[in-house]
Amino acid sequence: MKPLIGIIGQIDPSKNRLFLDRRHIEKIATAGGIPAVFTLDCSPEEVLEHVDGLLLIEGPDVHPYFYGEDPSGAIKYVDVDRDEFEIRLVKMAVEKGIPILGISRGMHVINVALGGTLYQDLNDIPKAIKHDWDVELIGPTQRVHGVRIKTSSTLYEILKNELDIGGTNEVYLRVNSFHHQAVKRVGEGIRPVAYAVDGLIEAIEGTEGFIMGLQWQPEYLPEMERVFEAFVRAAAEYRLRKLELERIEIEAEVREELREQAPGSKEEPDESHHSSETTDNPPDTNQT
């Protein structure tokens, strides 16, 4: 069976609706997964009970409360309920070894969940290039700036056949990256693997297992299909491991039940035992 990929949808409180970019669904399905959209009405435990991978997508700013800061005037809009839900979801998924792919906000959630911090607004950084493009005006496919990808990274290994490799340590790629916040201090168990020319982190990945965060929108770039394929493949491998563990547990339970039901497994009364009043002489049945 194909791996199930859980996606947390975006909430539009003004219209009381759940929505997401259809391309997320399409990319997961094309890569061989089964996309399933979840809401905050269920618990993180319920989500992780069923999924084999997590896709965290774009959305509002992560509230600075979750990385120990007060909000500046540059914060645009937040969804604290979603922050709490997704941060807890990431922490639990990492413990279970469930593959995670974070896009845009999803990358920020991964970093904050693992103890990292964010720049609340990139205008506060001297010499930063323009990152806060209005995607509604220019469209989501515009490659607005370049990134340098480390050749020692999993991301590079995934994309290397799609890239124009010009160096030995880093590869240059133009991406559709639109954001006004960015990773500041990197969380535990992850490392930066791609940078903009101004030094801002544009991609992170886990030091163990499949954990990856991309600042850009990979669902709109053709070469990024390899990322979705690698993610779904990791989810399929997790599913196989999970099913194998479940099989081992079931077999152990069956063996235990059979052992308990086997003859002689429990102490039985000794029918050969006679009381001290029993003799070899039959009782006297003659009446006087």
Side-chain angles (χ1 to χ4, degrees):
M1 185 176 178
K2 296 179 179 180
L4 187 72
I5 307 300
I7 308 171
I8 309 303
Q10 298 192 63
I11 301 296
D12 182 351
S14 65
K15 298 180 180 179
N16 193 30
R17 66 180 181 132
L18 177 74
F19 69 100
L20 72 160
D21 190 327
R22 183 172 178 174
R23 283 185 177 251
H24 295 306
I25 301 289
E26 294 171 346
K27 292 300 180 182
I28 293 299
T30 300
I34 300 175
V37 181
F38 290 85
T39 71
L40 306 188
D41 295 323
C42 54
S43 68
E45 289 85 355
E46 289 171 327
V47 174
L48 297 181
E49 182 181 351
H50 297 287
V51 305
D52 305 303
L54 283 178
L55 174 60
L56 303 177
I57 62 174
E58 64 278 357
D61 297 342
V62 177
H63 198 291
Y65 163 81
F66 294 101
Y67 48 93
E69 297 181 11
D70 290 320
S72 74
I75 293 291
K76 294 186 176 180
Y77 71 105
V78 298
D79 184 342
V80 174
D81 290 339
R82 183 176 168 190
D83 291 342
E84 291 178 340
F85 186 93
E86 291 186 337
I87 288 172
R88 185 178 172 194
L89 197 63
V90 168
K91 290 179 178 178
M92 295 176 63
V94 170
E95 290 180 359
K96 292 177 175 288
I98 296 175
I100 309 171
L101 175 60
I103 294 173
S104 188
R105 166 194 158 88
M107 170 178 163
H108 298 169
V109 170
I110 293 171
N111 190 59
V112 171
L114 298 180
T117 63
L118 304 175
Y119 289 108
Q120 292 193 38
D121 190 77
L122 301 185
N123 289 324
D124 298 333
I125 303 175
K127 298 183 180 180
I129 65 172
K130 183 174 179 60
H131 293 269
D132 60 340
W133 301 87
D134 190 335
V135 67
E136 294 184 1
L137 295 179
I138 68 172
T141 62
Q142 294 278 355
R143 299 175 185 259
V144 291
H145 71 71
V147 297
R148 295 173 289 113
I149 301 175
K150 289 185 175 181
T151 56
S152 59
S153 65
T154 299
L155 179 62
Y156 168 77
E157 289 299 320
I158 292 171
L159 295 175
K160 64 181 179 181
N161 292 331
E162 305 291 331
L163 302 175
D164 182 13
I165 301 174
T168 57
N169 296 321
E170 295 177 336
V171 174
Y172 186 77
L173 174 70
R174 296 193 66 79
V175 294
N176 52 346
S177 185
F178 321 105
H179 55 108
H180 84 105
Q181 296 189 315
V183 168
K184 187 176 182 181
R185 187 183 73 242
V186 177
E188 295 181 7
I190 51 178
R191 60 177 182 147
V193 295
Y195 302 85
V197 67
D198 55 11
L200 284 178
I201 297 170
E202 289 276 333
I204 57 175
E205 63 185 35
T207 54
E208 295 183 7
F210 191 102
I211 303 172
M212 184 171 292
L214 305 177
Q215 187 65 75
W216 59 87
Q217 304 293 140
E219 68 274 19
Y220 285 94
L221 301 181
E223 69 271 24
M224 295 294 157
E225 289 185 3
R226 300 294 172 265
V227 171
F228 290 97
E229 291 170 357
F231 170 52
V232 171
R233 187 162 56 248
E237 292 170 357
Y238 170 81
R239 178 179 178 80
L240 288 176
R241 292 195 301 271
K242 181 173 66 174
L243 291 176
E244 178 64 14
L245 288 175
E246 290 176 354
R247 183 188 66 79
I248 292 172
E249 290 177 359
I250 291 173
E251 289 181 350
E253 291 175 358
V254 170
R255 285 196 298 268
E256 180 63 21
E257 290 178 359
L258 292 175
R259 188 188 68 80
E260 292 177 353
Q261 295 172 5
S265 61
K266 294 183 180 180
E267 185 176 348
E268 298 178 356
D270 186 356
E271 296 179 354
S272 64
H273 176 72
H274 297 282
S275 68
S276 59
E277 298 179 356
T278 303
T279 65
D280 292 334
N281 298 322
D284 184 3
T285 56
N286 294 328
Q287 298 181 357
T288 57

